[in-house]
Amino acid sequence: MTTLAVVSAGLSEPSSSHLLADRLAAGVGAVLPVELRPVHLRDVARDVADNLVTGFPSARLKAVVDDVVGADGLIVVTPTFNASYSGLFKSFVDVLESESLAGKPVLIGATGGTERHSLVLDFALRPLFAYLKANVVPTGVYAASSDWGSPQGLSDRIDRAAGELAGLLAGRAPAKPADRFSDVVPFDQLLAGTKRHG
C-alpha cells in the first residue's frame, strides 16, 4: 500500500497545524488508499535539538526520519512564525540527508493568525522543498484562524491539494532509498572528456 508521512510542526495541544495536517491526510485518503505515518515534531523536539548538537539521532528520531524518508509521499504543515516556517520545522528538515526527499511528492501547508501570512507557502516552504529536489504539488494550503469559522473555502483548497498529491502518488512506483552515488560519472569517462577539450 502507498505510504504517506504526515509531518506537523504544531507546538500546542490542540494545534491548528495538527488539525490541518489531519484534514489534508483525510483528503488524500478519500481519493487513494494510503497507510498514514503521522509525525508530530513536538514529540521529538528535544531529540531534534540533541541531534543538531551531537550529530547523532536518538533511536526515536531515527525512527521518525526513516518514516519520513521511506514514505512514498509527504504532507508537511508548519505554523507561521515571523513570516516563515517554525524553527522546529526547519531544524527537523536540517536533520534530513540533503538528497533524501529528491523526487518525493510533497503537499505543503501552513497555519497562522491572519491571511497576511499566506505567502509563507510560496516564499518559504516551496523554495525549501525545491532546494531539496522534492516534487511539490501546485496547490499549497494555508489556514488562517478565520478559515476554521468559514470552512467551505478551506475545504475546497484541501480537496484540490489532496487530489493533486493523490494523483502523483497513484502514478509513481513505491519509494526507494536514495542512492547517493547513482549519478556518479566513471573516471575514465571524465578523463576522455578532458582529452577532447584539451
Side-chain angles (χ1 to χ4, degrees):
M1 180 177 285
T2 301
T3 55
L4 181 61
V6 184
V7 178
S8 168
L11 297 177
S12 59
E13 287 291 348
S15 161
S16 59
S17 294
H18 294 343
L19 179 58
L20 179 58
D22 290 345
R23 292 273 305 274
L24 291 168
V28 175
V31 180
L32 178 74
V34 289
E35 176 190 325
L36 298 179
R37 298 177 178 176
V39 175
H40 290 184
L41 295 184
R42 179 179 188 266
D43 298 338
V44 291
R46 188 174 306 246
D47 303 81
V48 170
D50 288 345
N51 183 86
L52 292 175
V53 172
T54 65
F56 297 100
S58 65
R60 180 165 62 167
L61 180 59
K62 185 179 183 312
V64 167
V65 169
D66 289 347
D67 276 349
V68 170
V69 171
D72 297 307
L74 183 59
I75 292 173
V76 297
V77 180
T78 177
T80 305
F81 290 120
N82 297 324
S84 189
Y85 33 70
S86 73
L88 174 59
F89 180 81
K90 180 58 165 65
S91 295
F92 176 72
V93 171
D94 288 344
V95 166
L96 304 176
E97 293 286 337
S98 60
E99 297 288 324
S100 63
L101 300 184
K104 192 179 298 295
V106 176
L107 192 168
I108 56 174
T111 58
T114 73
E115 296 84 352
R116 291 178 301 158
H117 299 299
S118 61
L119 291 177
V120 67
L121 295 172
D122 291 322
F123 287 90
L125 283 169
R126 197 172 295 279
L128 173 65
F129 284 95
Y131 173 78
L132 296 170
K133 301 183 180 72
N135 187 3
V136 182
V137 301
T139 303
V141 180
Y142 179 84
S145 297
S146 59
D147 285 317
W148 302 108
S150 54
Q152 187 55 51
L154 179 59
S155 293
D156 290 345
R157 296 196 305 274
I158 287 172
D159 290 344
R160 184 167 61 249
E164 291 168 357
L165 182 60
L168 282 179
L169 291 171
R172 83 184 239 120
K176 296 178 183 173
D179 180 0
R180 292 185 191 179
F181 304 107
S182 62
D183 59 351
V184 173
V185 178
F187 183 71
D188 59 336
Q189 287 181 18
L190 289 173
L191 191 57
T194 59
K195 287 179 181 175
R196 280 197 301 271
H197 300 294

